[in-house]
Amino acid sequence: RLGTERGWAPSQAAPIADGALVCCYEGELLTLDQTLDRYSSTDPSYLFSLGDGSDLYIDGASSSHPSRYINHHQNGTLAATVSTEERTVIFHAARDIAAGEELTFDYGEGFWVGSNGVPAQGTDDRTFEPLSPTDGRWRPPPGPPPLFAKSAADLDAVDRLDDRAEARLAIIRTLEFFGAARLSSGDLAVPSTLSSAEAPRTVLSPTDAAKLREACGKLVAEIER
């Protein structure tokens, strides 16, 4: 069932038990190069990475399936499981879901750090950007710097940003797009290459701007070859 107070969004007509399969995320299967071309200057609002070094993504932008309309909530009613081998994203109930309750899942910190959007009021208590000193509401990123640094020229543009915190976020945004995984410690597990999902990863602190920049430069150089 579609339609909630937040606009188009799926809700469940009947109760769902904790752990039950709800649906799969449906959309167009794209390679890394295709996503870089398609989203060189816009936010990929419906792009789902198949994770762990994979260069495949599911893009739901043109899909009419209800999974496209699942909204964000920090404590979502759904949990997403990504299968690189099966090339699917599966949603299960994260808890018992009552009839009529909206279906939501946590988009993750990387999504909001790399987006010009902000979570809807009341859906997330994490701070991804400094709050406005005048009204206390969420403030969108003041940018954007290059959304994906797909060339050495893009990286040079990031290096020239006066706001070094924003430059670091632009690098993290690019690394996560290239498959870097956020660990429970908050560190990033960054792939050493884009050519193999089995390649070793380097664990980097999200505050170590120099090492993040170095890792990003190597991956960008790889896609330019």
Side-chain angles (χ1 to χ4, degrees), residues 6 70-74 104-107 112 119 123-124 126:
R6 289 202 278 159
I70 300 176
N71 283 323
H72 165 79
H73 197 290
Q74 181 181 0
T104 60
F105 76 102
D106 184 359
Y107 287 11
W112 295 113
T123 65
D124 206 305
R126 294 170 293 188

Side-chain angles (χ1 to χ4, degrees), residues 5-80:
E5 68 276 6
R6 289 202 278 159
W8 288 102
S11 58
Q12 186 61 26
I16 305 177
D18 183 8
L21 172 65
V22 176
C23 68
C24 293
Y25 189 71
E26 299 209 1
E28 183 181 2
L29 188 67
L30 300 177
T31 65
L32 174 62
D33 287 342
Q34 288 171 320
T35 59
L36 289 171
D37 289 339
R38 180 173 295 184
Y39 295 108
S40 61
S41 59
T42 59
D43 271 346
S45 298
Y46 301 98
L47 197 65
F48 223 120
S49 170
L50 291 180
D52 291 336
S54 170
D55 69 345
L56 295 176
Y57 299 79
I58 298 175
D59 189 358
S62 299
S63 173
S64 59
H65 189 267
S67 60
R68 176 186 185 274
Y69 301 98
I70 300 176
N71 283 323
H72 165 79
H73 197 290
Q74 181 181 0
N75 302 307
T77 54
L78 303 177

Side-chain angles (χ1 to χ4, degrees), residues 137-157:
R137 295 179 299 178
W138 289 104
R139 180 171 63 84
L147 182 61
F148 302 124
K150 56 185 290 189
S151 68
D154 290 343
L155 281 176
D156 288 342

Side-chain angles (χ1 to χ4, degrees), residues 116 141-148 154 157-158 161 166-171 173:
N116 283 324
L147 182 61
F148 302 124
D154 290 343
V158 171
L161 287 173
E166 187 65 23
R168 181 175 58 83
L169 290 180
I171 295 297
R173 176 186 308 165

